[in-house]
Amino acid sequence: MDNLYIEEILEHYREPLNFGKLDKFDTSSRQLNPFCGDDMEIFVRFKNNAVEDIGFVGKGCAISIASASILTDYVKGKTKGELTKFSEKDMLSLLGIEVSETRKKCALLALAVLKDCF
Amino acid sequence: MKKDFPIFKNKINGKKLIYLDSAATSQKPQVVIDAILEFYKTYNANVKRGLYPIAEKATEKIGKVRQEVAKFINAINPEEIIFVRNTTEAINLVAYLVSHNIKREEGIITSTMEHHSNFVPWQQLALKKNADFLVLDIDENGFLDLDSGIKNYELRIKSAKIFAVAHVSNVLGTINPIKDIIKKVKEINPNILVLVDAAQSVPHLKVDVQDLGCDFLAFSGHKMMAGTGIGVLYGKKHLLNNMQPFMFGGEMIREVNIENTTFADLPHKYEAGTPDIAGIVSLGAAIEYLNSTGIENIQKHDNRLIKYALQKMEKIEGINIYGPRDLDRRSGVISFNINGVHPHDIAQVLGNMGICIRAGHHCAMPLHKRLGIPASARASFYLYNDEEDVDYLIKGIKEVKNIFSLI
């Protein structure tokens, strides 16, 4: 738990990758996390059944924003089939930090929004 | 004072416990823990029924605690004290009682500063009964803005059945001038019932139900050093006598026939089933401890700590502090935000340092919406906190800024 705020996470929080709404997108979804007051919306554009581009906007804590940044970068080029198989466990290991039960909601918000996109 | 509370003797993950979340729940002194142990070890028995010595002792104890509670809030009669689980249950009980005789043209009034437990039951009742639901606003300092309310909604106040309002805000620490508020509201509508949510006031300030002039008052034992399953509803005797019981079953009946049932007198009419006897015992011990410390001394202590904390916090760049600056009208609660950091990250960094604060909306979403923020971090104080705890808090906030490179 002491390693939650490692430099990599903080960098993603300060300057998140893929932050912003896409001009052209095929699908989008928005979710609120009432526990934290987090608010996240993800936009996806597909080409040949794979993610061509992805963007997100929202407000949230370091963990939820860093997760969205890392996840959106990871899924570029992945097919819908690959995304369907991508699990919560995969998300937590992609994040690479140990997250407590109460903060899992933050770490998994981006994934939940993404899964809701298709 | 910390020496009376065994939890402070332990290290948590190798760190000293800096507990600044007493608005959520309070720590328990040894005397309260001992009272619970003594009950289970020496006179555990169900109350009212047994004719053997330990049952009589347990029954007698409950009666005695009821008297102590009545004295503590200056109720005229111990029968006006109903033991419930917590403030939430007490308020829901009143909402249920009122639901039987509320007429369609009679409205319900509450405010934007309420805890959800004093908001949602009334909102739901209004929806169910299609009744007028008036939510009074707060002023810039976080006090209930009754004057604007009266100016804008006098007719709605005149026709309202009940007005439910917090004595002290669990987010802002605002101490509403509740006596004055009740007087003004009853001048406009003498028949209105007033329920005071005293969850954050009874543990910290002198509360006198006769002086306030309220009809109902609700509070929780666990915020005043008692166990977690005991709360109190105070209600004026004639009102409680004229209302229908909420739960039916054991301990609340006089006679049961196949065709009908007559109910027991107050307070048992509203206390169906075996009560939380250990909880009641713990409440008695907590009140004894509060009396020996002196509630006025606790208020002074809270006040001193708030002053000390606010002076230090205000010097930190990028911090936003909510609630009144007039410290005489503020209880031991400080909610704040740091620019660029989510409150949950503040609480987590502090938590890793052994400093316990709370982050989120503190069960007051309408208030956070009114303040225009999604969430806040909250430090709250009680009699066992001291200046050193505040120094740790300041150190923690500086560490948050450091981690997030905000210095």
Side-chain angles (χ1 to χ4, degrees):
Chain A
M1 286 302 295
D2 283 341
N3 297 326
L4 203 55
Y5 298 102
I6 55 171
E7 200 44 47
E8 195 197 340
I9 296 290
L10 291 166
E11 267 172 31
H12 278 286
Y13 174 61
R14 281 192 285 262
E15 284 174 48
L17 305 166
N18 309 308
F19 193 85
K21 188 177 170 178
L22 297 184
D23 289 335
K24 284 182 189 165
F25 57 92
D26 298 308
T27 175
S28 74
S29 178
R30 181 181 170 196
Q31 276 189 27
L32 303 172
N33 177 352
F35 175 67
C36 308
D38 288 351
D39 180 350
M40 192 175 288
E41 189 167 13
I42 294 183
F43 309 87
V44 192
R45 187 170 69 241
F46 293 102
K47 191 179 183 183
N48 300 330
N49 221 25
V51 175
E52 185 186 34
D53 202 2
I54 183 163
F56 80 98
V57 292
K59 283 181 287 189
C61 65
I63 309 302
S64 65
I65 297 296
S67 304
S69 172
I70 292 168
L71 178 69
T72 49
D73 212 46
Y74 174 80
V75 300
K76 276 185 194 167
K78 299 276 187 300
T79 62
K80 284 184 184 176
E82 284 171 312
L83 293 185
T84 314
K85 277 189 223 142
F86 192 78
S87 68
E88 293 191 342
K89 208 176 147 202
D90 295 332
M91 179 68 229
L92 293 174
S93 68
L94 183 67
L95 197 58
I97 47 170
E98 205 184 308
V99 186
S100 71
E101 245 352 271
T102 42
R103 297 305 290 278
K104 273 189 186 156
K105 289 190 192 91
C106 316
L108 296 172
L109 178 63
L111 180 63
V113 180
L114 179 65
K115 294 242 172 189
D116 200 44
C117 281
F118 59 95
Chain B
M1 195 60 81
K2 276 201 170 83
K3 65 178 181 2
D4 292 349
F5 294 77
I7 199 162
F8 295 118
K9 291 188 184 116
N10 307 321
K11 294 232 159 158
I12 313 285
N13 294 336
K15 293 185 180 88
K16 200 172 161 184
L17 176 66
I18 309 297
Y19 188 75
L20 298 172
D21 197 18
S22 294
T25 197
S26 63
Q27 297 302 341
K28 320 301 175 199
Q30 189 66 51
V31 286
V32 167
I33 298 167
D34 286 346
I36 298 168
L37 274 177
E38 192 204 351
F39 164 69
Y40 281 124
K41 277 177 160 176
T42 68
Y43 62 103
N44 175 44
N46 209 335
V47 288
K48 286 198 291 187
R49 289 185 283 259
L51 294 171
Y52 44 89
I54 57 169
E56 275 167 12
K57 185 172 175 185
T59 307
E60 207 176 290
K61 181 75 189 175
I62 284 201
K64 208 168 154 265
V65 174
R66 204 185 298 276
Q67 284 173 10
E68 286 305 317
V69 174
K71 220 158 89 187
F72 192 65
I73 59 167
N74 199 29
I76 298 172
N77 196 317
E79 292 172 358
E80 297 177 312
I81 304 300
I82 311 294
F83 288 128
V84 291
R85 266 198 312 141
N86 46 38
T87 308
T88 302
E89 187 171 291
I91 295 169
N92 276 273
L93 173 54
V94 176
Y96 178 85
L97 299 180
V98 167
S99 74
H100 285 294
N101 57 5
I102 190 166
K103 294 184 197 85
R104 218 185 136 165
E105 62 277 14
E106 292 175 321
I108 296 165
I109 310 173
T110 183
S111 87
T112 46
M113 72 192 289
E114 303 306 315
H115 187 283
H116 293 161
S117 63
N118 199 31
F119 189 89
V120 183
W122 304 115
Q123 178 199 52
Q124 292 301 307
L125 180 61
L127 287 171
K128 195 171 149 194
K129 295 280 174 176
N130 206 10
D132 180 38
F133 186 52
L134 173 60
V135 180
L136 297 177
D137 200 6
I138 52 170
D139 63 22
E140 308 83 73
N141 296 313
F143 292 96
L144 181 83
D145 191 2
L146 185 64
D147 292 337
S148 304
I150 291 173
K151 210 171 100 197
N152 298 325
Y153 311 111
E154 194 175 344
L155 281 176
R156 290 169 77 185
I157 296 173
K158 262 185 182 155
S159 64
K161 175 85 183 173
I162 187 156
F163 174 37
V165 62
H167 192 177
V168 170
S169 160
N170 71 314
V171 177
L172 303 170
T174 325
I175 304 173
N176 274 322
I178 205 79
K179 182 181 175 178
D180 191 44
I181 288 172
I182 294 172
K183 194 168 159 260
K184 279 186 186 166
V185 167
K186 292 218 173 199
E187 267 166 20
I188 296 173
N189 177 354
N191 294 322
I192 197 166
L193 299 171
V194 179
L195 175 140
V196 175
D197 172 357
Q200 300 292 346
S201 61
V202 168
H204 295 269
L205 332 164
K206 179 71 197 148
V207 171
D208 179 330
V209 289
Q210 292 184 63
D211 182 54
L212 295 183
C214 57
D215 299 290
F216 299 101
L217 184 125
F219 58 98
S220 296
H222 72 93
K223 291 194 207 289
M224 52 192 285
M225 298 179 285
T228 45
I230 187 67
V232 171
L233 171 67
Y234 156 83
K236 278 183 183 160
K237 195 175 171 182
H238 71 276
L239 294 170
L240 291 174
N241 265 334
N242 291 329
M243 288 168 151
Q244 287 301 306
F246 169 55
M247 282 197 284
F248 305 102
E251 316 244 4
M252 56 78 68
I253 49 94
R254 180 174 294 150
E255 190 184 4
V256 179
N257 304 304
I258 298 289
E259 302 80 15
N260 54 37
T261 295
T262 48
F263 303 117
D265 289 334
L266 289 178
H268 309 295
K269 176 177 162 186
Y270 295 106
E271 292 180 356
T274 298
D276 177 11
I277 308 170
I280 296 171
V281 167
S282 75
L283 182 60
I287 287 180
E288 206 178 314
Y289 187 80
L290 281 165
N291 284 336
S292 70
T293 309
I295 197 88
E296 290 84 2
N297 293 329
I298 294 171
Q299 192 177 354
K300 274 185 210 148
H301 175 84
D302 284 349
N303 209 271
R304 203 184 73 226
L305 279 186
I306 283 284
K307 192 174 173 188
Y308 182 75
L310 283 174
Q311 271 172 0
K312 296 212 160 193
M313 286 171 80
E314 277 167 349
K315 287 190 191 126
I316 299 172
E317 214 177 300
I319 201 166
N320 297 308
I321 301 166
Y322 310 103
R325 287 296 190 274
D326 178 353
L327 299 185
D328 290 335
R329 301 168 72 194
R330 179 169 189 146
S331 183
V333 178
I334 303 177
S335 290
F336 63 97
N337 264 313
I338 301 171
N339 290 337
V341 189
H342 190 284
H344 276 201
D345 293 321
I346 303 174
Q348 184 98 56
V349 171
L350 263 58
N352 293 349
M353 297 169 75
I355 306 162
C356 311
I357 64 156
R358 180 149 293 226
H361 47 64
H362 321 298
C363 297
M365 283 174 128
L367 176 60
H368 279 82
K369 283 177 187 157
R370 172 67 177 79
L371 297 171
I373 49 173
S376 61
R378 179 186 75 185
S380 54
F381 305 96
Y382 207 13
L383 72 173
Y384 35 70
N385 292 117
D386 52 27
E387 276 80 359
E388 198 192 0
D389 295 333
V390 176
D391 293 340
Y392 271 104
L393 172 68
I394 301 299
K395 207 173 130 193
I397 293 172
K398 286 182 177 160
E399 177 65 12
V400 172
K401 290 189 62 181
N402 189 23
I403 286 177
F404 282 81
S405 305
L406 294 167
I407 291 172

